[in-house]
Amino acid sequence: MNTSDFQMIATMLREQSGLVITPEKAYLVENRLQPVARKWGYASLDQLVGAMRTKSDGKLRKDVVDAMTTNESLFFRDLKPFDLMRDVVLPPLLTARASTKRIRIWSAACSSGQEPYSLAMMLSEMQAKLAGWKIEILATDLSSEMVAKAKAGTYSQFEVQRGLPITMLVKHFKQDGDRWQLSDAIRNQVTFREYNLLEHPRSLGQFDVVYCRNVLIYFDQPTKTKVLAGIADQLAPDGTLFLGGAETVLGITDRFEPVPGQRGIYRAATKTGAGLRAVV
């Protein structure tokens, strides 16, 4: 791929998804876009990029963005964020929301659905404690293909072997040939929606917990600041933000601050820090 074609794709990706790719990632662009070229009947990436330059086909550009922004996901990824949700974040929320018995969770950039379904399975194990509660899980992703896959709740043997405890596999999945189908009981706990993180999330409503993990690492600093500002606007004052292990708010935004002693979780910034005591 020549420099001009790479730059054209890089600029489009940054404008439409926030994804930043540098020239040393040209190999990744070629690998990801070869299937897109074949799908559209182009013999080479040169023809694909040429079509993008000369045609105003939004579907073609969307397929390119989807191919480049689809990231790997697995059940109970890193495990710790789910333990923290159950043991540290949820207990004070149950006390604070006792009058409404309602909690809203947002899984941003959910890919093929493993993260929100992991949350749903974890919460199902707490059904006795959560009797009478309405816990909504909204999962969003930029890729319409990933949203469709997530909604289907069907995974390969390889996918269910990665991070999913065997007890939960047996309890919540049914094998169908070489595929595993997630139960309706768990699927119905999650609502999926196509959504671009570059947009302000006001249309999604307010949340008590936001998982936005392993996403910011693909953005430049201004985009990270913009995304975090939008999340801050929609997060309840006593809400919690989960980021990936390699991500932080430090030096990026003053809207959040780390929860002392708990890596990877953040609360709305306060001058006194009083808002953090409930979970420390």
Side-chain angles (χ1 to χ4, degrees), residues 84 88 257-267 270 272-280:
L84 287 172
V88 176
E257 57 192 21
V259 173
Q262 304 292 352
R263 183 179 180 184
I265 59 176
Y266 303 83
R267 288 287 178 90
T270 61
T272 63
L276 302 178
R277 295 194 188 112
V279 296
V280 175

Side-chain angles (χ1 to χ4, degrees), residues 220-242:
D220 59 19
Q221 184 147 326
T223 304
K224 292 177 184 178
T225 302
K226 176 182 177 181
V227 170
L228 288 171
I231 292 173
D233 287 344
Q234 301 307 123
L235 189 66
D238 60 346
T240 300
L241 168 66
F242 284 82

